[in-house]
Amino acid sequence: MNSADPVSGYPTHEQPPGPGRPVRSEATARRIALASCTIADVAAGLLGLWIVLYLLDANQANPFVEFVHGMADWLSGWAQDIFTMDTEGLRVVLNYGLPAVIYLLIGHGIAARLNRV
């Protein structure tokens, strides 16, 4: 693959714009799509990192672990305690994993839609 685009399957910069679509509008749409993917990936990455740190029993007094936990709580605040189970590890995986998957689906879905227009 000789394209410099970070996401495969999206139009390359060398392709001409679609009919009736100016070059500037298409470039802007690609940038917004890339930003959407990046934001979704970072959000899901922080949630996934918190899951791993929790499952590995990381020191929760550590400033880095506190930061990741705080960000994960903020990102998944709307999904807290959707799943309530006796196994604490499984509860953390589900309550933080579900928002991560949803962020990925929404972010990459927006990007795909912007690149299709």
Side-chain angles (χ1 to χ4, degrees):
M1 182 169 158
N2 61 6
S3 172
D5 271 348
V7 182
S8 63
Y10 293 123
T12 62
H13 295 288
E14 294 83 29
Q15 291 179 341
R21 193 159 179 210
V23 174
R24 182 174 222 164
S25 174
E26 189 166 298
T28 302
R30 271 198 303 268
R31 285 188 184 115
I32 293 171
L34 181 60
S36 171
C37 284
T38 302
I39 291 169
D41 291 345
V42 168
L46 282 169
L47 290 164
L49 181 59
W50 168 242
I51 292 170
V52 169
L53 289 173
Y54 182 85
L55 293 177
L56 294 177
D57 200 26
N59 178 9
Q60 295 197 16
N62 180 287
F64 176 72
V65 177
E66 285 180 2
F67 170 76
V68 172
H69 186 203
M71 291 301 297
D73 279 344
W74 183 75
L75 288 167
S76 66
W78 56 271
Q80 287 300 314
D81 297 328
I82 287 180
F83 302 100
T84 55
M85 24 209 59
D86 295 333
T87 309
E88 187 67 19
L90 182 58
R91 186 188 66 77
V92 168
V93 168
L94 292 175
N95 283 325
Y96 289 93
L98 176 67
V101 169
I102 289 174
Y103 286 137
L104 288 173
L105 289 174
I106 290 173
H108 287 264
I110 290 170
R113 178 72 178 143
L114 284 171
N115 281 319
R116 207 174 317 138
V117 173

